[in-house]
């Protein structure tokens, strides 16, 4: 069974601060996705990373896939209140249609 | 184009009653997934449909849970004899591709089920 552990579970920061969220596993994934979920809504895909060592940037968000494709990180620069939400990572095994989701990091950005 | 829609958005039921949850995927998406999300938890896979293939039911927690899909369109998730531990948000997702690397899933808003 593939498991993804996310840390921290909760994060409360002031507007303008930087933060990093981690997603770790002992399993290798062929791809890893990050989603953001706001209250009362379904998760929305932010990015997919597929190559070990890959770095993708989405405005103030930087995503990195570990060299061994077992872990990933999400770094947010100068956090804004609009970044508030639940951040979920999800990994896909080779040739598998199933995504394994982490439990998420609940981020609160205080104005 | 419309996204994934789910109905009802909220459902309150009494223990022991049956409930039916509906999902309308994005048109043209052949793959459809149901997940359960308990409060403070991640997403728990329930069932997967791909075209006319037999569904993968490996995530269904008990035989009280079942799901159907008509072709590549609407899906319904049925929970019989609901229990309080069934209370959760039930999310539906659809995707164009069914295999790993580019399996980008688009989620509906979910149905919040409360069993009293």
């Amino acid at each position: 069974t593939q498991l993804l552990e996310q840390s921290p579970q909760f994060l409360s920061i002031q507007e303008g601060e930087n933060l990093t969220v981690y997603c770790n596993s002992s399993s290798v994934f062929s791809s890893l996705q990050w989603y953001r979920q706001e209250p009362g809504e379904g998760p929305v895909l932010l990015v997919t990373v597929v190559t070990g060592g890959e770095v993708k940037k989405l405005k103030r968000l930087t995503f990195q896939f570990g060299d061994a494709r077992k872990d990933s990180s999400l770094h947010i620069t100068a956090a804004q209140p609009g970044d508030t939400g639940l951040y979920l990572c999800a990994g896909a095994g080779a040739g598998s249609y199933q995504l394994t989701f982490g439990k998420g990091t609940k981020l609160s950005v205080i104005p | 184009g419309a996204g994934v829609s789910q109905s009802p958005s909220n459902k309150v039921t009494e223990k022991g009653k049956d409930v039916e949850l509906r999902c309308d995927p994005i048109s043209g998406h052949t793959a459809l997934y149901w997940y359960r999300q308990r409060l403070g938890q991640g997403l728990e896979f329930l069932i997967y449909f791909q075209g006319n293939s037999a569904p993968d039911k490996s995530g269904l927690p008990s035989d009280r849970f079942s799901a159907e899909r008509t072709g590549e369109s609407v899906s319904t998730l049925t929970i019989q004899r609901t229990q309080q531990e069934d209370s959760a948000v039930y999310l539906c997702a659809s995707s164009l591709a069914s295999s790993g690397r580019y399996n980008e899933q688009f989620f509906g808003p979910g149905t919040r089920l409360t069993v009293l």
Side-chain angles (χ1 to χ4, degrees), chain A residues 12-16 79-82 84 108-111:
Chain A
S12 182
I13 62 171
Q14 295 290 324
E15 180 177 359
Q80 303 294 311
T84 294
S108 297
V109 181
I110 303 165

Side-chain angles (χ1 to χ4, degrees), chain B residues 15-41:
Chain B
K15 178 182 174 181
K17 299 283 189 182
D18 297 351
V19 296
E20 190 172 278
L21 313 180
R22 177 186 169 108
C23 172
D24 283 272
I26 294 173
S27 178
H29 280 194
T30 58
L32 187 146
Y33 310 76
W34 282 98
Y35 295 90
R36 179 170 67 180
Q37 186 176 31
R38 290 192 164 122
L39 187 65
Q41 301 295 312

Side-chain angles (χ1 to χ4, degrees), chain B:
Chain B
V4 178
S5 61
Q6 292 186 246
S7 61
S9 56
N10 282 284
K11 176 71 177 179
V12 180
T13 190
E14 294 179 346
K15 178 182 174 181
K17 299 283 189 182
D18 297 351
V19 296
E20 190 172 278
L21 313 180
R22 177 186 169 108
C23 172
D24 283 272
I26 294 173
S27 178
H29 280 194
T30 58
L32 187 146
Y33 310 76
W34 282 98
Y35 295 90
R36 179 170 67 180
Q37 186 176 31
R38 290 192 164 122
L39 187 65
Q41 301 295 312
L43 275 64
E44 176 187 2
F45 168 78
L46 297 178
I47 189 168
Y48 161 78
F49 294 91
Q50 169 59 35
N52 294 317
S53 302
D56 177 355
K57 305 179 181 180
S58 62
L60 295 179
S62 77
D63 59 8
R64 296 187 295 104
F65 288 71
S66 63
E68 293 183 350
R69 186 182 187 193
T70 305
E72 294 184 354
S73 59
V74 171
S75 176
T76 55
L77 176 69
T78 301
I79 308 174
Q80 295 178 310
R81 305 181 302 282
T82 53
Q83 304 294 313
Q84 288 182 331
E85 61 263 28
D86 298 334
S87 296
V89 175
Y90 290 82
L91 290 160
C92 174
S94 68
S95 69
L96 270 173
S98 63
S99 63
R101 293 185 66 173
Y102 298 98
N103 181 5
E104 302 184 359
Q105 299 182 17
F106 296 82
F107 285 83
T111 293
R112 181 176 296 278
L113 175 65
T114 303
V115 182
L116 301 176

Side-chain angles (χ1 to χ4, degrees), chain A residues 14 26 28 37 66 69 74 81 92 105:
Chain A
Q14 295 290 324
S26 58
V28 175
Q37 184 179 23
R69 290 184 288 129
L74 159 59
T105 294

